[in-house]
Amino acid sequence: MKAQRAVWGDTLTELAQTDDRIVVVDGDLATSTMAVTFANAHPERFVQAGIAEQNMVGIAFGMSTLGYRPWLSSFGVFLTNRALDQVRMLVSQTKAPVRLAAAYSGLLNGASGKTHQDIEDLSVMRAMPNMTVLAPADETEAGAMIRWAADHDGPVYLRLARDAVADVFDDDYEFTVGQPVLLRDGTDVTVVSTGVQTSRTVEAIDEVESAGRSARHVHLPTIKPLDTEALWTLLADADTVVTVEEHSVVGGLGDVVASVLAEHAAAARLEKVGLADAWAESGPNDFLLEKYGLSVGRVAERIQRAIGERVPA
């Protein structure tokens, strides 16, 4: 297993060997985001902007007008909050081919603590017109998304986790933007997850099935744009749907799925598993996952409870 941030540094370094449009603009976090890998290999295409996230976006936009395909390297919380005005005005409104590599996203950001947790980024970025929003499940999918984004002619927000997770996909996996991925089929409940929480949800569903239940598991790697009809085909026969995300339940995956169900006037019961509408706190990963209901065991409990509480047809 390899952390997604390490995959980002390695993959960009490799791609830049044959694509001289690729440049990286870093916000004084290269050793954390692993932009240092790129900087060591391609120092002439690495810009250290310092702790000046708004300026970073301006630099990247300017470079994009000259034919470059810049990547911004910082923690997600800084890109989606501190530099939000510049992302909105310079990148989203102009459709500039700037990629936001949002490292340390979500709840688990090591010793950085509560102030650096970004648990509302998906809701912020999916509201941006022209923005593609991606949340890979593991290192394989992260690599595939980076390769896709390198050639995409428009803005991309890529949610990258700090720590490695168990593999979900093998080397044969092919990423298709906008498409939901069916990981397993089942009959008692349909579970939809995104990002690295998908890896933990795979294990949670193993526990659910060991208890005699059957679960369909859908992974949503693309939050936006989304092939809603493709997702609907996987939800249409469900009477209970559970969404699982390492993100606020406000505006994230749960609301994406709720919109699809509402558009089709579905009668399915929807249960959102994620962080409540409140700030989290600093702490070790296992403690935070357990407290906020995102550990393997807690997710399995929520899925089993949702099956038990479903309304008979």
Side-chain angles (χ1 to χ4, degrees):
M1 296 184 294
K2 184 188 289 187
Q4 291 178 347
R5 58 190 173 124
V7 173
W8 178 73
D10 291 344
T11 304
L12 269 194
T13 299
E14 175 192 338
L15 291 173
Q17 293 174 3
T18 55
D19 188 347
D20 58 12
R21 301 173 302 169
I22 296 176
V23 294
V24 171
V25 184
D26 181 70
D28 198 33
L29 288 169
T31 56
S32 296
T33 66
M34 298 311 296
V36 65
T37 305
F38 184 94
N40 289 337
H42 306 285
E44 74 286 355
R45 283 187 272 161
F46 177 79
V47 178
Q48 181 51 264
I51 306 174
E53 289 80 10
Q54 295 96 334
N55 288 345
M56 279 174 55
V57 179
I59 291 168
F61 169 71
M63 297 179 86
S64 75
T65 67
L66 299 174
Y68 291 101
R69 295 296 176 94
W71 287 79
L72 291 172
S73 161
S74 187
F75 288 0
V77 69
F78 299 142
L79 295 175
T80 61
N81 291 273
R82 188 173 293 168
L84 186 59
D85 181 60
Q86 285 72 23
V87 171
R88 177 179 181 270
M89 300 294 288
L90 296 177
V91 178
S92 178
Q93 290 195 7
T94 68
K95 303 182 183 179
V98 174
R99 295 93 173 87
L100 286 70
Y104 284 56
S105 293
L107 181 65
L108 309 180
N109 58 17
S112 300
K114 172 183 176 179
T115 56
H116 288 47
Q117 290 166 349
D118 197 8
I119 57 173
E120 66 278 359
D121 58 324
L122 297 180
S123 59
V124 171
M125 299 313 295
R126 67 181 279 252
M128 289 270 185
N130 305 319
M131 186 69 69
T132 295
V133 182
L134 306 176
D138 63 4
E139 65 174 91
T140 298
E141 189 167 55
M145 286 179 173
I146 293 160
R147 294 177 187 280
W148 175 87
D151 236 9
H152 177 61
D153 192 22
V156 177
Y157 178 80
L158 178 64
R159 191 181 217 237
L160 298 171
R162 177 185 185 275
D163 299 322
V165 295
D167 293 336
V168 175
F169 299 107
D170 59 29
D171 292 339
D172 295 329
Y173 173 73
E174 295 183 8
F175 168 69
T176 302
V177 69
Q179 291 299 305
V181 180
L182 179 63
L183 297 178
R184 79 174 87 186
D185 211 355
T187 55
D188 291 328
V189 62
T190 296
V191 181
V192 185
S193 59
T194 191
V196 291
Q197 187 62 34
T198 287
S199 180
R200 292 186 283 269
T201 303
V202 167
E203 296 182 54
I205 292 176
D206 287 341
E207 290 192 9
V208 170
E209 296 201 333
S210 69
R213 298 293 193 173
S214 173
R216 174 181 295 159
H217 188 189
V218 179
H219 168 59
L220 223 59
T222 308
I223 300 299
K224 181 185 177 183
L226 175 63
D227 185 338
T228 56
E229 287 307 308
L231 178 58
W232 171 242
T233 63
L234 297 170
L235 301 176
D237 63 349
D239 56 14
T240 302
V241 177
V242 178
T243 60
V244 190
E245 57 191 312
E246 189 189 317
H247 184 272
S248 169
V249 293
V250 179
L253 174 71
D255 283 358
V256 171
V257 173
S259 295
V260 173
L261 293 173
E263 286 170 6
H264 291 85
R269 177 177 179 272
L270 176 63
E271 177 88 7
K272 298 180 188 178
V273 178
L275 286 114
D277 186 18
W279 298 113
E281 61 189 284
S282 305
N285 287 1
D286 290 344
F287 169 82
L288 293 173
L289 289 173
E290 187 68 19
K291 176 163 184 176
Y292 294 103
L294 294 171
S295 65
V296 170
R298 294 291 301 278
V299 171
E301 289 173 4
R302 290 287 296 273
I303 294 171
Q304 289 172 315
R305 189 188 315 157
I307 295 172
E309 293 176 352
R310 68 184 179 184
V311 178

